[in-house]
Amino acid sequence: MRTRRLGRGLAAVVRRPPVPALLFVSMNGWAVMVWSTIGAAASHAEFRALPGAVVASSLHPTSHVHGGAATPVAFVMWVAMVLAMSPLLLAREVDRVRLSSLRRRRGSIVTVWLTGYVVIWLLAGAAVVPFVAWLGTDVRLAWGAVALVALWHCSPLRQRFLNACHRAASLRSFGVAAYRDALRDGFATGGACAAVCGPLMVTVLLAADIHLVAMAAATLALTVERYLPARTPRWRLPFVPARASEWPSARARAGLLRARV
Amino acid sequence: MVRTRCEVRSPEAADALRWYATAVHVMQSRPLADRTSWLFLAAIHGIQPSLWFRFGVIEPDVAAPPAADQRRFWNQCQHQSWYFLPWHRGYLFAFEQICREAVIEAGGPEDWALPYWNYSDTTRPEARVLPDAFAQETLPAGWESTALPDGSPNPLWVERRYGKTDPPITIGEQFVTLEALQLDDFVGGTNDIPPGFGGPVTVFHTGGGPNGSLERQPHNGVHGQIGGSRPGGNVNDPADQGFMSMPSTAGLDPIFWLHHANIDRLWTVWRRTHTDPADPRWLDGPIPRTFTMPAVDGQEWTFTPSLVLDTASSPLDYIYDDQAAPVEPVFPVGARRAERFALLSGGPARSADDGTPSAEEREGGVMGAEHAPELIGASDSAVRVNGETRAGVRLDEPRVRSLTQRLGRAMALGPVSEEPPRVFLKLEGIRGTSDAANYLVYIGLPTDATEELDPDHLAGTLSLFGVGRASDPEGPNAGGGLNEVLEITRVVDALQVSGNDLANALDVRFVPASERDADADFSISSVRVFMLEP
Ligand SMILES: [Cu+2]
């Protein structure tokens, strides 16, 4: 009952501008992703032979991202993935940038901001794609990468970047400063987003023929995570609720007791 | 049985107060780990163990409740959120039941109910003074019982309640006005312009961002005015704040519960003429945590806002002795417009332009259809407030010209013309550690105005309850700070009427509400001006 009504709430959110527009952009990203998956599968015979259900088997050392010819495909996939996954996460950000701008400049300021954001992702893609290709050469490397990404998701540093996504900067609104701030904030937001989401997207690329499923799961997890409250950076499993309070250690409390005397 | 919560100074409340003291005493004698103890209940609102140790509220060798209890119950208070009112209602209800149990066990009345403190009653001059029963260090005369013999410390008194005045603690009248009741909608508009009565849409949210109007005032203002900071102490140091000044200690002061009963009553007053959100995310929220309170027997009671809408029916079963609207009028649709035109066209006649809207105004009209706020001014840099501080807000000339033209036309033509846009001041990213601070915000004061600050220029109050936690970069708000939105339509209209057109800058002045507030040191990352088509 509660779930159903919350579902209706979600439906209301989806209908509120600019969400429909962002969803449209996202759909295009998904379309490209599906299209490139089919294309890659067609051009790599071994791809079709892979069993799809088990991640282990799909971490195939000779997936579509190996070698020269496949790299552009992987880059297109990377861009498509960004296009598919980020618009919903950006709803709040674009709102904030729009409302910090004088109306006659809204279009140009948002464009500058998005440029900064996208440039970061393209740079990240340029770095990640050859790396993924290299990881794809050996199944042990691929699994090692997955393990590192899992570790990254438990790390305080990642939580720091995630918290940075929660902390909206104030953008100046007049003169050249407005454009400078928009660009800088686009870079900063793109950077934090890439640090938070990028590594998981690497594993999506590695997941070869089930990467559409992996991508859907990743999108869901990353979107939900973004809308939850910030947490104190520290080592912990993803999605485990934060401790309600920081109870000092027995040692710290003994220290307090001594200080009192 | 429906019980009645009475005003703290009414004759009916005298007995309830005495029993309240007994119950507080009983609950205070229970250990922290007991879900029905005074400390556990306060920790549900907020606890920062290191600060509680430092204050001597708990000893370092205290037995802590199990981690699961801490996780489920503690640090739940909802602030700067549309859950502010329903969460505090459920919280108060759970507290009141546990109190009542203690009252009954001590031989008190079965229909005992928590009193409330109506500090906004302008018909009684003493309404803003802290009730006497809370101000006495030893048990008031005639309150003796077996549990509390003559000469016992008064359970309703706490040392860390400093206020902003010499005793008796008195709340400044600017901090208890009830403009909030005049807001039409529970949830605010885009960018919280206009602000809503109850607060912005959030998930489970312990603070940070913009306030709902009732939370802003009187709620936040009263917290700082009562809690204050230690005289001679540092208003920017959490260790020198009064209990009521910070969310992580507020529940430790017995007056907290009477203050919140009044806020709860004001919600009841508002909803007699307005409607709560119908949004299922609110009714059945929140995520990811649920609202969980201890029942009388220590078991868990979870609730959603939908369960606590009507106080007069089960499970709440209480009413207030006064649920009438205290401000006249609680604006019917259109009254705001009429009042506005009375001010605008009642002023000195001005030469009107020809009345045809300019291209810019037509553009504005199109936007108006969406009711989206439009930025027309912003400070060029962050503002550091430390004592009386002036900040210049740069205004966008073409848009301001269009605004003043429309104001001019409204003045000349009166109510037959289109209503000009409303104007709002937004203080974005308020960060600091001076939770107790209370400031007044003035706009458009003449540069040389130092002595008498003209109340016609008062934009509103600024109270920083919760700012410390909201500014903590490692806290749940990631250090985003607080936001504040003040409607300044009336001030701008008055400026226009008195012949002071808005030029290309607006002077914003922050004035400490008392001497003790003058040392407060906080920053505002941006001061902005928005207009909104009515
Ligand atoms: Cu409160």
Side-chain angles (χ1 to χ4, degrees), chain B residues 45 79 84 88 215 219-220 223 244 250 256 259-260 263 465:
Chain B
H45 192 272
H79 289 110
F84 166 72
H88 280 85
E215 181 174 4
H219 171 263
N220 287 352
H223 269 284
M244 275 285 275
F256 169 90
H259 169 35
H260 267 279
I263 297 296
F465 180 68

Side-chain angles (χ1 to χ4, degrees), chain A residues 3 7 9 46 50 69 79 85 92 95 104 117 127 146 222 235:
Chain A
T3 322
E46 81 276 24
L50 293 173
V79 173
M85 291 167 74
R92 266 202 300 216
D95 252 2
R104 61 178 174 279
Y117 183 85
V146 170
L222 293 171
W235 288 101

